[in-house]
Amino acid sequence: FLSIKVIQKYISEVKSVKGIPLLKSLQSKLRSYEKLADQILIQETKKLLNKKFYIIFRLLIHAYQILTTNNLIVWFDNENQDRNFLVDIRNGFYLDDDLM
């Protein structure tokens, strides 16, 4: 089950059109919305960026788990460092520039 094919799938998801290229596109849109001072579009775009960063980092964390432990933890305990990091990303704790 946990094989190189799984890792390749996770990495291809990160690099696909819905992964890093989408993040770059959203960042560009955010910058243009900031110039326009459109607060509604800024907030919506930030929310979507946080969600996409969360998904990408979760995939990378899963790939790392598989490579280092040959195990996949789908549900993290509340005290888990990876879970706390992902929750912080989702809640917008990090700026998008910090994550890229």
Side-chain angles (χ1 to χ4, degrees):
F1 167 71
L2 301 177
S3 67
I4 194 69
K5 296 279 187 200
V6 175
I7 300 300
Q8 290 172 340
K9 173 70 174 148
Y10 283 0
I11 299 304
S12 71
E13 289 286 326
V14 170
K15 293 172 26 178
S16 75
V17 175
K18 294 181 183 179
I20 292 174
L22 177 60
L23 289 175
K24 289 180 179 181
S25 171
L26 288 170
Q27 285 178 317
S28 176
K29 287 180 182 180
L30 180 61
R31 305 248 186 301
S32 66
Y33 297 153
E34 288 171 340
K35 288 178 184 174
L36 298 172
D38 189 329
Q39 293 303 313
I40 293 172
L41 288 176
I42 290 170
Q43 291 305 319
E44 288 175 0
T45 306
K46 283 184 177 182
K47 186 176 178 181
L48 185 55
L49 263 170
N50 293 338
K51 179 181 178 182
K52 294 299 177 182
F53 272 119
Y54 166 87
I55 291 167
I56 286 175
F57 274 96
R58 185 164 181 111
L59 286 170
L60 293 173
I61 287 169
H62 283 177
Y64 180 78
Q65 287 174 346
I66 292 167
L67 288 171
T68 58
T69 66
N70 202 29
N71 193 15
L72 180 62
I73 301 170
V74 178
W75 186 261
F76 297 120
D77 293 331
N78 286 340
E79 299 83 27
N80 184 287
Q81 183 179 4
D82 290 333
R83 179 198 177 275
N84 293 335
F85 176 67
L86 290 170
V87 168
D88 285 346
I89 290 173
R90 189 66 191 255
N91 291 333
F93 181 76
Y94 299 100
L95 300 175
D96 58 310
D97 291 336
D98 294 337
L99 297 170
M100 282 296 263

